[in-house]
Amino acid sequence: MLPRFGPCHPCSISIPMNRGIGTKVMRLLATVCLAQAVLGNAWGQERTTPQGRSSNALQEKISSEQRALRPTLIEADVISGTPDIELKLQGNATLRRADTLIRADRINYDIEQDRMHAFGSVRLNRSGNVFEGTELDLSVDAFSGFFSKPSYRFLRGGGYGQASRIEFIDDQRAVARDANYTTCTAQPGPGWLPEWIIKATRLDLDNERNEARARGATLRFKDVTVPVPDISFPLNENRKSGLLPPLIGVDTINGLTYIQPYYINLAPNRDATLTTNVYARRGVSLGGEFRYLESTLPDTRGEIRLNYMPQDELRGGQRWSYAQQHTGYTQLAGQDLRLNVNLNRVSDDNYWKDFPFSFGALNQRLLPADFQLSSTRGEWTTSLRSLRWQTIQDVNSPLTPPYNRSPQVQVQYNRFGESWDVGWTNDLTAFSADRMQACLSSQTSSSANVQTDCQPNANRLVSQFRLARPIQTGGLTLTPKLMVTGRQYEYEGAGMGADGSRYAQAQTLPTFSLDAMARFERNTTLQGRDWIQTLEPRAFFVHTPYRDQSMFPLYDSARYDFNFATVFTENAYSGYDRIADNRLLTLGAITRFLNPADGSEGARFGIAQRLRLKEQQVLLPNEVKLNDRLSDLLLGATINLNRQWLIDSTVQFNPKTNTSERSAIGARYNPSPYRLVNVSYRNQTQFQSELIDIAWQWPLNDLWGDRGKNLSPGQGQGDGRWYSVARMNYSLQDKRLIDTLMGLEYDAGCWLGRVVVQQQQLGVLVNNRRIMFQLEFSGFGRVGANPLQQLQTQIPRYQMLRDTRLTPPSRFGLYD
């Protein structure tokens, strides 16, 4: 055995920390010290920090297997030791392996036991989680041991605290004794206290489960202390099972509401939430939500929601709701089939009024149960669909039930080639609805809707053939197209004839269209910037001969809105029950301003108008005949020359009356994060509707000149700032607010406070108001109602004050 080495002066050494190599280590130490003796002080002058290999990306996570293969770097003022037994580092001692760093005044390393003992000012940094204390005893590879009187700071969530002792069980689990935890940033001064802190006799830390569990704990917020004997919270933004903060709210229908959710992390791609709902005026209901994301099938996800109240103290009887959404693929007989499900059902007609803030479509009055299964093989697509409606009736505003489509079978062939585009669609649908009550009401009141309200159920077969030939000549594209549509109806009962003799009807109609488009470009300058301006004129001619269709029922046809998406189409109606006898020439043009660097669109202006060459005779019941040769003028503009402003408008202008028949004008001002204003104006003369919609998110501190800090996305703008959030929908016709949401948010740095008031219109004379409070401890959890979902839904482009998904912290931010 080599004799014991004397002290070696400051040096840095990289060694593999494995057993059985002590002799090589000691020889390396001897060589280093001998070289230092020969070179003298020149060694210290030429010493450089060890350099790693260059890389385009730093590795955030290192596995246990990778960590064991990494070399260990040691550095100290004085290094000594005994071969195969120990190493001693004196003064500024540092040991580094992969993502683990240990720094102390003195480090002793037992090679045989693979155990390290550090003294003095000890600092341990592992994957960005930092521990500091007076003494560390640790098995390096197993990462088990203890830390005396440590302070700690966690990378994810930014939480920190102190403890009398931390016991490391392994590289994923630890136990802190007499510990505390907070995310409030320490301020200078001896009297500073965090605004919230949790203290526990025992704090279990589990990085594998992303969970910290405090036992024998108390939570202090400001001057209020609440005992929480056993509570768990996440160590980062990832999911974990356990109790979630309760949701508390008050509304005018249900009174005080308390909802206690329990989250279950079933798998990385599946989770569930069970809820107990306590309504002061109604009683108790139980709810559940199940979500899934299938990794074995592409783009396959879904969720199921269920709520059940055994006894409603106000209405009496059971109340329930069920909602299921699924999109993606499923396997049947070894084949991948596309499956879409949208199923919504409630127990009774009053559910939408009694629970107006229910999930998704459950607060609406037409609830679909829609199942679609399709398969695509080459140019053929086959689909099977069942769509059935639940119509929620109200005595003050009854609805005519829409027709169910069950089943609907569709077979399509589409081939888009360089010369010919060919399409063939075959659709067989069984339409059915229970319209007895609507029919009797129409007959009693002699309503003009008696024809549609009293029409029979039927099976409809549609076969449509399409043939198009795109022709390109320079910048001009001509597309002649021929369509032939055949329809056949088979009615149930007495049919549509006055004498009850018609049980089946059929008709075939041809349609010819010619679409001509051109595109011209030029370089131009606008507001001192270079742009590519395009001019895209378009002419669209369509001709469909007249056939009497008044004997046919109306199952899925309605007139399209007059807009840029429908003005260049062959048929003025949706569906197949009505095919307009058009002889139209539509003229229009669009000009765009494109960024030459990336092709993004800075502005767009459009105009279109129809020239009617023949009077249209095919009409819907109660529809006014169109006698004007020239249609209304359609004008549109979108301006987005910079990132701050966006203006979008569409106007349907009547040149005969010089009035706007329909207008939609909107503007968005978004100069910086958390500063947002949306304003829109909508007018429909036909329905005597005129609405103004305003939504915003804006820091109130701007009013007194405090512009805040420019922090990373999802981090707010600094401590002590107030934010105003709102959305208001005002009817100029009725001179009243329809739906309103207004609130305040306060960012204290380590906690956020929110109060939101919402009013929802449920009918002409019925509305519901509620108030929501929420207290969010940054990196810990939220207590109170959940207005965040309403803010994100109601305010377009709303930004959360805390969202670590946008800028997840990096361990290199706390790199030593």
Side-chain angles (χ1 to χ4, degrees):
M1 179 177 293
L2 292 175
R4 180 181 181 86
F5 285 102
C8 182
H9 292 285
C11 59
S12 175
I13 303 175
S14 174
I15 59 174
M17 297 299 291
N18 297 317
R19 298 183 184 182
I21 62 170
T23 302
K24 294 182 181 180
V25 171
M26 292 299 101
R27 288 175 181 171
L28 176 60
L29 286 171
T31 304
V32 170
C33 290
L34 179 60
Q36 180 181 359
V38 174
L39 298 177
N41 291 335
W43 177 274
Q45 297 171 359
E46 297 178 2
R47 184 180 60 157
T48 59
T49 303
Q51 301 295 319
R53 293 179 299 175
S54 62
S55 172
N56 293 328
L58 297 173
Q59 187 174 352
E60 284 287 345
K61 295 183 179 181
I62 298 178
S63 64
S64 300
E65 294 76 11
Q66 291 175 319
R67 189 178 293 113
L69 298 176
R70 298 291 177 89
T72 299
L73 305 176
I74 61 174
E75 184 177 357
D77 293 338
V78 178
I79 299 177
S80 62
T82 301
D84 298 323
I85 298 178
E86 64 176 352
L87 280 177
K88 293 185 178 180
L89 311 179
Q90 299 279 350
N92 298 315
T94 301
L95 185 148
R96 185 193 303 272
R97 180 191 297 178
D99 58 350
T100 302
L101 170 82
I102 301 171
R103 195 189 304 276
D105 295 337
R106 179 163 55 94
I107 296 177
N108 294 338
Y109 178 66
D110 188 328
I111 298 177
E112 289 186 334
Q113 300 297 324
D114 186 35
R115 196 163 192 88
M116 183 211 63
H117 206 172
F119 305 90
S121 300
V122 184
R123 178 182 175 91
L124 168 63
N125 186 332
R126 185 175 180 86
S127 298
N129 297 322
V130 178
F131 303 84
E132 294 180 322
T134 58
E135 181 183 1
L136 173 63
D137 190 311
L138 187 70
S139 293
V140 180
D141 285 342
F143 205 79
S144 62
F146 69 88
F147 212 139
S148 297
K149 299 179 180 179
S151 63
Y152 43 84
R153 179 177 293 274
F154 301 122
L155 176 66
R156 302 284 182 175
Y160 68 94
Q162 299 85 34
S164 62
R165 176 184 173 100
I166 285 186
E167 300 164 2
F168 297 104
I169 301 173
D170 53 34
D171 62 344
Q172 296 292 332
R173 286 170 286 274
V175 177
R177 307 287 181 180
D178 301 320
N180 57 51
Y181 179 85
T182 185
T183 58
C184 298
T185 303
Q187 303 296 326
W192 178 84
L193 291 174
E195 296 194 326
W196 74 267
I197 189 170
I198 186 168
K199 298 181 179 180
T201 58
R202 171 173 173 157
L203 184 63
D204 295 334
L205 306 172
D206 192 332
N207 289 311
E208 188 175 29
R209 297 178 59 187
N210 177 36
E211 180 182 56
R213 179 173 293 276
R215 305 178 188 274
T218 58
L219 173 64
R220 180 182 63 80
F221 175 64
K222 299 288 188 177
D223 296 327
V224 179
T225 300
V226 180
V228 282
D230 191 341
I231 188 173
S232 64
F233 54 92
L235 291 173
N236 56 50
E237 70 279 4
N238 295 332
R239 304 174 303 170
K240 80 170 196 69
S241 298
L243 286 172
L244 298 179
L247 312 179
I248 305 170
V250 180
D251 65 70
T252 56
I253 293 179
N254 297 308
L256 179 65
T257 302
Y258 178 90
I259 301 177
Q260 179 59 66
Y262 184 86
Y263 179 79
I264 306 174
N265 187 20
L266 300 173
N269 62 328
R270 290 184 178 88
D271 64 10
T273 303
L274 305 178
T275 58
T276 302
N277 311 282
V278 181
Y279 301 96
R281 298 177 181 174
R282 295 191 179 278
V284 179
S285 70
L286 302 177
E289 177 192 40
F290 172 67
R291 302 185 303 176
Y292 56 90
L293 174 63
E294 297 298 334
S295 57
T296 57
L297 296 172
D299 191 28
T300 300
R301 64 184 65 206
E303 59 182 310
I304 299 173
R305 291 175 180 252
L306 175 65
N307 196 284
Y308 175 70
M309 178 178 286
Q311 180 66 29
D312 188 334
E313 300 299 333
L314 289 180
R315 295 284 184 182
Q318 302 177 359
R319 311 294 296 279
W320 57 265
S321 66
Y322 180 84
Q324 179 180 356
Q325 283 74 41
H326 172 92
T327 178
Y329 290 86
T330 186
Q331 289 189 335
L332 182 64
Q335 302 294 326
D336 288 343
L337 302 177
R338 183 77 180 181
L339 175 63
N340 293 319
V341 177
N342 181 22
L343 174 59
N344 303 272
R345 286 293 184 265
V346 295
S347 56
D348 53 83
D349 287 346
N350 293 310
Y351 197 94
W352 70 286
K353 292 188 293 186
D354 294 345
F355 305 95
F357 303 105
S358 299
F359 168 76
L362 294 180
N363 57 4
Q364 301 176 9
R365 296 181 59 192
L366 290 176
L367 303 182
D370 194 0
F371 300 85
Q372 298 184 61
L373 190 65
S374 61
S375 174
T376 300
R377 291 178 175 272
E379 296 161 339
W380 291 91
T381 300
T382 305
S383 63
L384 175 64
R385 183 184 188 188
S386 174
L387 172 61
R388 305 188 69 86
W389 297 92
Q390 180 183 6
T391 305
I392 307 301
Q393 295 293 359
D394 185 358
V395 293
N396 296 320
S397 57
L399 293 178
T400 300
Y403 278 88
N404 302 320
R405 304 184 186 194
S406 183
Q408 180 179 13
V409 181
Q410 193 172 85
V411 179
Q412 291 181 307
Y413 173 84
N414 290 287
R415 183 176 67 84
F416 301 96
E418 296 181 358
S419 56
W420 293 95
D421 294 342
V422 181
W424 185 27
T425 299
N426 296 276
D427 185 293
L428 176 61
T429 304
F431 292 98
S432 63
D434 184 5
R435 293 195 169 188
M436 180 63 69
Q437 186 63 42
C439 180
L440 292 177
S441 299
S442 297
Q443 291 175 341
T444 302
S445 60
S446 300
S447 170
N449 297 323
V450 64
Q451 179 180 349
T452 55
D453 289 344
C454 299
Q455 63 189 19
N457 300 332
N459 297 326
R460 187 191 67 189
L461 174 63
V462 176
S463 182
Q464 184 179 79
F465 177 78
R466 182 191 75 247
L467 180 64
R469 176 69 166 88
I471 303 172
Q472 292 186 350
T473 304
L476 177 65
T477 301
L478 294 174
T479 306
K481 180 164 65 173
L482 175 65
M483 291 195 306
V484 179
T485 305
R487 295 164 295 171
Q488 178 175 315
Y489 295 83
E490 292 185 358
Y491 304 113
E492 296 180 3
M496 293 292 291
D499 57 357
S501 60
R502 296 183 182 177
Y503 292 91
Q505 293 172 315
Q507 190 178 81
T508 301
L509 268 176
T511 298
F512 172 78
S513 66
L514 178 63
D515 195 359
M517 296 183 292
R519 179 185 174 100
F520 306 97
E521 294 184 357
R522 70 166 185 168
N523 296 323
T524 187
T525 302
L526 184 63
Q527 289 191 339
R529 296 174 57 185
D530 293 332
W531 299 91
I532 298 175
Q533 183 184 8
T534 71
L535 178 61
E536 305 169 41
R538 184 175 183 181
F540 183 80
F541 173 77
V542 59
H543 173 66
T544 301
Y546 169 74
R547 297 290 188 274
D548 183 15
Q549 302 170 49
S550 60
M551 77 292 292
F552 291 152
L554 285 175
Y555 297 126
D556 61 356
S557 284
R559 178 171 287 275
Y560 282 126
D561 287 337
F562 189 60
N563 53 48
F564 282 98
T566 60
V567 70
F568 295 100
T569 55
E570 288 85 2
N571 191 10
Y573 302 109
S574 62
Y576 295 105
D577 293 322
R578 291 293 185 273
I579 300 177
D581 57 320
N582 286 328
R583 187 181 296 171
L584 294 174
L585 177 62
T586 304
L587 301 176
I590 292 177
T591 181
R592 310 173 198 259
F593 289 84
L594 307 177
N595 189 328
D598 56 13
S600 60
E601 190 175 271
R604 178 200 305 176
F605 303 93
I607 185 172
Q609 190 175 34
R610 282 174 172 169
L611 173 62
R612 191 172 301 278
L613 305 177
K614 182 181 81 65
E615 181 181 286
Q616 179 182 329
Q617 301 181 59
V618 175
L619 300 171
L620 299 178
N622 309 320
E623 191 174 26
V624 179
K625 184 173 292 188
L626 302 175
N627 297 319
D628 297 334
R629 284 300 184 96
L630 289 176
S631 71
D632 293 341
L633 193 64
L634 193 61
L635 304 171
T638 301
I639 303 174
N640 189 22
L641 297 180
N642 56 54
R643 296 183 178 181
Q644 297 183 0
W645 282 97
L646 173 65
I647 300 175
D648 189 20
S649 63
T650 302
V651 176
Q652 181 181 339
F653 181 76
N654 189 331
K656 294 183 65 176
T657 61
N658 289 326
T659 58
S660 170
E661 296 293 332
R662 177 179 299 186
S663 304
I665 304 173
R668 183 180 72 231
Y669 179 56
N670 191 189
S672 63
Y674 306 104
R675 292 180 176 90
L676 168 71
V677 177
N678 293 292
V679 180
S680 66
Y681 168 81
R682 298 189 301 274
N683 172 46
Q684 296 187 63
T685 304
Q686 179 182 358
F687 301 104
Q688 297 183 346
S689 173
E690 194 172 9
L691 301 174
I692 294 179
D693 192 290
I694 304 175
W696 72 80
Q697 178 186 25
W698 203 274
L700 291 178
N701 293 53
D702 287 4
L703 297 176
W704 49 87
D706 180 9
R707 300 288 296 179
K709 302 176 183 178
N710 187 18
L711 303 177
S712 56
Q715 297 299 316
Q717 293 186 325
D719 302 353
R721 294 183 60 77
W722 288 89
Y723 298 83
S724 171
V725 291
R727 180 168 185 177
M728 295 182 291
N729 198 315
Y730 183 78
S731 172
L732 295 173
Q733 190 75 23
D734 300 329
K735 294 181 173 55
R736 63 183 178 90
L737 288 170
I738 300 176
D739 292 328
T740 307
L741 181 145
M742 299 188 71
L744 291 173
E745 295 183 289
Y746 178 71
D747 186 350
C750 62
W751 63 272
L752 305 173
R754 296 183 181 91
V755 56
V756 175
V757 179
Q758 184 177 13
Q759 173 182 293
Q760 187 178 32
Q761 197 73 26
L762 302 178
V764 178
L765 301 176
V766 181
N767 59 52
N768 184 35
R769 300 182 183 93
R770 70 169 175 173
I771 184 170
M772 297 171 283
F773 302 93
Q774 185 179 65
L775 185 63
E776 176 180 345
F777 298 114
S778 300
F780 182 73
R782 302 184 180 103
V783 178
N786 187 16
L788 276 177
Q789 183 178 0
Q790 292 297 322
L791 295 177
Q792 291 174 308
T793 303
Q794 298 292 330
I795 303 176
R797 300 174 71 93
Y798 167 84
Q799 290 181 279
M800 294 176 59
L801 297 180
R802 292 293 181 276
D803 192 352
T804 55
R805 297 171 300 176
L806 299 178
T807 54
S810 168
R811 70 180 179 93
F812 298 101
L814 295 175
Y815 188 76
D816 287 308

